Amino acid sequence: MVLLIVNRDLFVERSELRDLYHKVAAGERITEADALRLFESTDLNALGAIADLARQRKVGNRASYIVNRYLNYSNYCILSCQFCSFARKKRDADGFELTIPQMVEKAREALKLGITELHIVGGLHPSLPFSYYLDMLNALRALNLRSSRREEAPYNNPKPQIPSPRIVRASCRRLLHRGFN
């Protein structure tokens, strides 16, 4: 067995993200525009190198773990991904949508088991208003929340498609404005 160790600088120097790598290496904060470039980049090698550099600067070569619970607020989804066996349509008998008190109860049950983080997931719900997500997060605010995947960002786009980066940014700004960080 041969173990090949590649210097991450090789990936970065050929990347469109090299300026951001050097910015992070210099200890500078990235801007919103920089974050958007990272978000939209498909250069996984450079993204990994930048993330690894940021991790090393923050915690060294330590690793840790968390005890989390996936908390599904609903399995209704407007998409029909071929690989997904979780999603349901509103017409399906085994579809569900939890109320906020039900979510809080499930979180309390998980806390009794020693979780340190909630991972809130669900599909791209066809009709939940943005206020549902805000109310849910307010009810669970005392907990360390892990953010949803991009596809599950509060889906408040009137057209049935994955939210555009503009809508995701607007949703994030609304959450930040309300004290979520």
Side-chain angles (χ1 to χ4, degrees):
M1 179 177 175
V2 176
L3 179 63
L4 179 63
I5 300 175
V6 178
N7 184 341
R8 72 174 163 223
D9 292 339
L10 291 175
F11 292 121
V12 173
E13 290 308 319
R14 296 180 184 153
S15 172
E16 65 193 28
L17 300 175
R18 69 182 158 276
D19 60 315
L20 296 182
Y21 178 85
H22 293 300
K23 192 174 198 177
V24 171
E28 298 175 33
R29 290 191 59 85
I30 63 171
T31 65
E32 186 176 325
D34 295 337
L36 184 59
R37 278 182 58 205
L38 293 170
F39 179 76
E40 292 175 340
S41 177
T42 59
D43 187 346
L44 295 181
N45 289 321
L47 287 169
I50 293 168
D52 187 52
L53 177 63
R55 178 198 55 82
Q56 285 183 7
R57 291 179 63 87
K58 187 169 184 169
V59 298
N61 204 20
R62 279 191 2 228
S64 63
Y65 70 95
I66 54 142
V67 180
N68 79 351
R69 164 113 188 239
Y70 277 70
L71 194 52
N72 298 294
Y73 58 87
S74 177
N75 65 348
Y76 294 131
C77 186
I78 65 160
L79 297 180
S80 297
C81 302
Q82 292 182 6
F83 61 86
C84 181
S85 63
F86 178 72
R88 298 294 182 268
K89 300 298 180 197
K90 285 275 195 167
R91 64 182 174 269
D92 295 332
D94 58 344
F96 70 89
E97 177 181 307
L98 298 181
T99 65
I100 292 169
Q102 288 171 318
M103 292 282 291
V104 170
E105 181 56 33
K106 287 187 175 286
R108 284 189 183 129
E109 291 168 8
L111 280 171
K112 290 176 187 173
L113 299 173
I115 66 116
T116 57
E117 176 181 278
L118 288 177
H119 187 158
I120 301 171
V121 292
L124 298 182
H125 197 285
S127 60
L128 283 177
F130 190 73
S131 61
Y132 173 87
Y133 299 94
L134 289 175
D135 293 345
M136 174 181 40
L137 292 175
N138 273 324
L140 301 171
R141 190 172 191 167
L143 303 172
N144 179 22
L145 300 176
R146 178 177 178 173
S147 66
S148 300
R149 296 181 307 157
R150 176 186 180 265
E151 293 84 9
E152 295 161 351
Y155 183 79
N156 57 352
N157 187 351
K159 295 181 182 174
Q161 61 188 18
I162 293 175
S164 70
R166 182 184 58 78
I167 291 171
V168 172
R169 282 193 308 273
S171 295
C172 290
R173 279 194 294 275
R174 289 169 74 181
L175 289 170
L176 288 170
H177 179 70
R178 287 167 175 82
F180 295 100
N181 50 14

